[in-house]
Amino acid sequence: MQPDTTGNPQRKGERWGQFSRREFVRRGALLTGAAAATPFAVDLAGLTGAAGASTHDGYKALVCVFMLGGNDHYNTMVPFDQPSYGAYAAARGDLARNRQSLRQLNPVGGFPNGRSIAFANEWEALQGLFHEGAVSIVANVGALVESIQKSDYEDATKVPKQLFSHNDQQSVWQSLAPEGASTGWGGRVADLMLDDNGQHSAFTCISAGGNAVFLAGREATQFHVSPGGIVQLDMPFNSPAVGEGLAALMSRAGGDDLFSQAYSDITRRALGTSAFLSDAVREGGGVNSAFPEGRLGGQLRAVAELIVAGRNVLGLKRQVFFVGLGGFDSHSTLDTHHRHLLSELDSGLSAFYRSMVDLGLSNEVTTFTASDFGRSLVTNGTGSDHGWGSHHLVMGGAVDGGRVFGDLPVIANDGPNDVGQGRLIPTTSVEQYAATLATWMGVEGDELSAILPNVDRFASSDLGFMGNSGLSGSIGGALRGEGSHFSQELLWEIQRGLSPHFTR
């Protein structure tokens, strides 16, 4: 199949054809009708018969945590071996992190290529999760059309379009195409999972971080919630009757024209589905774990509550979530605001993982980070400029944790991985990263190349960080879930006994 650079998947088979479009219209009609009948009290059992039989067992969810603005990976996962740190410190000057303050990592199997990295001091909790086997690092990920060398950089046919542009590279990470793409790879994964969620497929894609092309599918649409949870119409004077009257007024068509009718239908559907999902969250009981105050903590708490509601109340089998944290465009705030953002990531991500453990869902929920791009190694005096490849985290009980996947780059200005000012050519593509996560969700065969149009251009579509043995499997998850006091050494010994291929 020829690569499709539009960001739109080529349909394969009946489930991508006319049958699926009819089902999509049918789902929308059911939701609209239910919302029109009872705008504030949609019966949880009222939406029926929308989709075909489920094809995947159990529950799984992907949670994308997008660092908007382009995270500076050099000051997040800092070069640590002495030659790399020396080159890093020389290039960064006063903005370099003090080596003694860094949080050292001891990955399973060691570091690749003889180089090493350490977490910034703010990532104390994430360092602990890494050594527990709940977090792994995927090194030097970025937008690629195909694997390239430095000598290929001037060949425009081999390099993604609009590099170093915020809007375009956010879109590439989320959709695999520059700004203007109509679908994202998370939404295209969800397209294949709608039948799994049956009558409640409208809640397959949920964003707590605003509109994101990542969640837009050909058929899957994103449901938005606020960082504080599901947005509902306030009940004036604490009166249900007044509230219902206001809802009826808001959703009443202002005329017979198509625009007025569409506005009325959308408003009715929004009110009804919000009330419906709120009822499901209340029935699910929410979460008891503590979450930090702030933008990220609020969004992740909302996602945790929606996972409980989706899995336990609505009977969903697959969900995809988007969470966004802005402020990473650190041209002048690398030594100040960036530190606060890293602290927010540390407390938010660790709280979310602990909540999944407490709920017994850690093996069923995988969280991963993404960002526009990395930053330049060379600074402008107060910050860093737009870059390309960067390091990212994957987190969850199904992750083959405590490891580093991919190649750590040579740290040198104008080095073999550098196209100028320390901007790294990625050695792992966004599509390989996405393919590994999509495969874990149940995408397989031709479906994978349909949703990830260039994935066949790379050596592997599975980077191996989603494992099924050792700490990433049920035994390791159970040990972590029970909050046991097993030492890391004992956990390593258990994993060695379970897997003959394990090396520390």
Side-chain angles (χ1 to χ4, degrees):
M1 185 184 73
Q2 292 299 313
D4 173 12
T5 59
T6 66
N8 296 326
Q10 298 180 18
R11 292 178 174 267
K12 287 184 174 285
E14 184 181 56
R15 69 189 305 174
W16 289 85
Q18 186 63 35
F19 173 80
S20 293
R21 286 193 288 272
R22 286 199 304 270
E23 289 297 342
F24 173 61
V25 172
R26 191 176 171 194
R27 290 185 185 100
L30 282 168
L31 283 171
T32 303
T38 52
F40 277 104
V42 181
D43 182 5
L44 292 181
L47 306 179
T48 59
S54 171
T55 58
H56 299 102
D57 294 328
Y59 176 86
K60 288 183 179 180
L62 282 180
V63 181
C64 174
V65 177
F66 205 98
M67 298 174 283
L68 295 155
N71 180 48
D72 189 299
H73 68 283
Y74 285 116
N75 271 25
T76 302
M77 291 176 247
V78 186
F80 190 73
D81 61 279
Q82 197 61 62
S84 296
Y85 182 82
Y88 155 83
R92 292 240 146 166
D94 291 342
L95 295 180
R97 291 299 190 103
N98 185 298
R99 192 169 186 268
Q100 301 305 313
S101 73
L102 300 176
R103 298 192 176 277
Q104 295 186 46
L105 303 174
N106 298 299
V108 175
F111 284 100
N113 306 334
R115 291 181 282 276
S116 63
I117 55 178
F119 281 169
N121 183 57
E122 291 81 7
W123 276 13
E124 179 180 7
L126 288 171
Q127 179 196 33
L129 290 180
F130 181 88
H131 288 136
E132 283 182 37
V135 169
S136 274
I137 297 165
V138 186
N140 198 18
V141 188
L144 286 171
V145 175
E146 59 184 69
S147 296
I148 64 170
Q149 304 297 320
K150 187 173 180 177
S151 58
D152 298 317
Y153 178 63
E154 298 301 329
D155 185 344
T157 65
K158 296 183 177 182
V159 177
K161 296 178 180 179
Q162 305 298 329
L163 280 177
F164 317 129
S165 157
H166 283 297
N167 291 349
D168 290 290
Q169 294 310 302
Q170 285 180 15
S171 179
V172 168
W173 263 87
Q174 295 182 38
S175 73
L176 311 177
E179 187 177 21
S182 59
T183 68
W185 66 263
R188 298 195 292 266
V189 168
D191 281 336
L192 298 171
M193 309 293 168
L194 292 177
D195 286 351
D196 291 309
N197 291 339
Q199 60 203 24
H200 303 311
S201 61
F203 306 117
T204 303
C205 294
I206 300 181
S207 174
N211 192 52
V213 70
F214 171 70
L215 293 180
R218 285 288 187 88
E219 299 171 7
T221 57
Q222 53 190 301
F223 186 89
H224 290 183
V225 300
S226 77
I230 302 163
V231 177
Q232 285 191 272
L233 189 66
D234 288 338
M235 195 74 71
F237 310 110
N238 200 30
S239 167
V242 174
E244 290 182 12
L246 180 59
L249 181 64
M250 290 176 62
S251 59
R252 189 177 68 181
D256 295 330
D257 59 285
L258 291 176
F259 180 83
S260 296
Q261 292 294 335
Y263 173 82
S264 175
D265 289 345
I266 291 169
T267 302
R268 227 177 8 250
R269 185 165 64 248
L271 292 171
T273 52
S274 293
F276 173 74
L277 193 54
S278 292
D279 287 345
V281 169
R282 281 192 293 272
E283 188 173 333
V287 295
N288 296 320
S289 303
F291 280 78
E293 298 292 331
R295 296 167 296 167
L296 185 63
Q299 290 180 69
L300 289 172
R301 182 182 182 87
V303 169
E305 292 176 340
L306 290 163
I307 285 173
V308 175
R311 179 186 183 274
N312 297 345
V313 179
L314 303 181
L316 304 183
K317 292 192 174 182
R318 293 293 186 273
Q319 286 186 284
V320 185
F321 294 90
F322 180 87
V323 168
L325 180 62
F328 285 91
D329 195 17
S330 53
H331 291 286
S332 60
T333 57
L334 187 56
D335 201 39
T336 53
H337 186 55
H338 187 249
R339 292 176 180 266
H340 295 298
L341 292 172
L342 294 185
S343 295
E344 194 167 355
L345 284 167
D346 186 69
S347 59
L349 289 173
S350 58
F352 182 73
Y353 176 74
R354 296 300 182 197
S355 74
M356 293 299 102
V357 171
D358 292 344
L359 293 164
L361 298 175
S362 60
N363 289 342
E364 299 173 343
V365 179
T366 297
T367 305
F368 65 98
T369 64
S371 193
D372 316 18
F373 36 60
R375 311 293 293 192
S376 61
L377 174 64
V378 176
T379 74
N380 57 29
T382 57
S384 56
D385 297 322
H386 299 177
W388 193 353
S390 60
H391 309 322
H392 287 280
L393 301 181
V394 286
M395 178 179 76
V399 172
D400 191 0
R403 295 180 181 268
V404 179
F405 292 86
D407 296 327
L408 291 173
V410 174
I411 304 300
N413 188 25
D414 200 30
N417 300 106
D418 176 22
V419 296
Q421 297 187 307
R423 295 181 171 100
L424 295 174
I425 299 172
T427 46
T428 295
S429 75
V430 174
E431 290 194 53
Q432 291 173 291
Y433 190 49
T436 307
L437 294 163
T439 299
W440 175 74
M441 286 285 280
V443 178
E444 57 187 16
D446 288 343
E447 293 174 339
L448 199 61
S449 56
I451 65 173
L452 303 168
N454 294 310
V455 72
D456 294 334
R457 292 187 173 195
F458 300 96
S460 173
S461 61
D462 190 342
L463 300 175
F465 58 76
M466 298 305 297
N468 294 308
S469 63
L471 292 179
S472 61
S474 58
I475 293 180
L479 290 175
R480 289 196 301 270
E482 292 297 323
S484 63
H485 299 285
F486 287 99
S487 70
Q488 185 65 52
E489 290 295 330
L490 178 55
L491 291 176
W492 272 323
E493 292 300 325
I494 292 172
Q495 186 167 20
R496 183 182 292 110
L498 291 172
S499 173
H501 302 293
F502 173 83
T503 57
R504 179 179 170 186

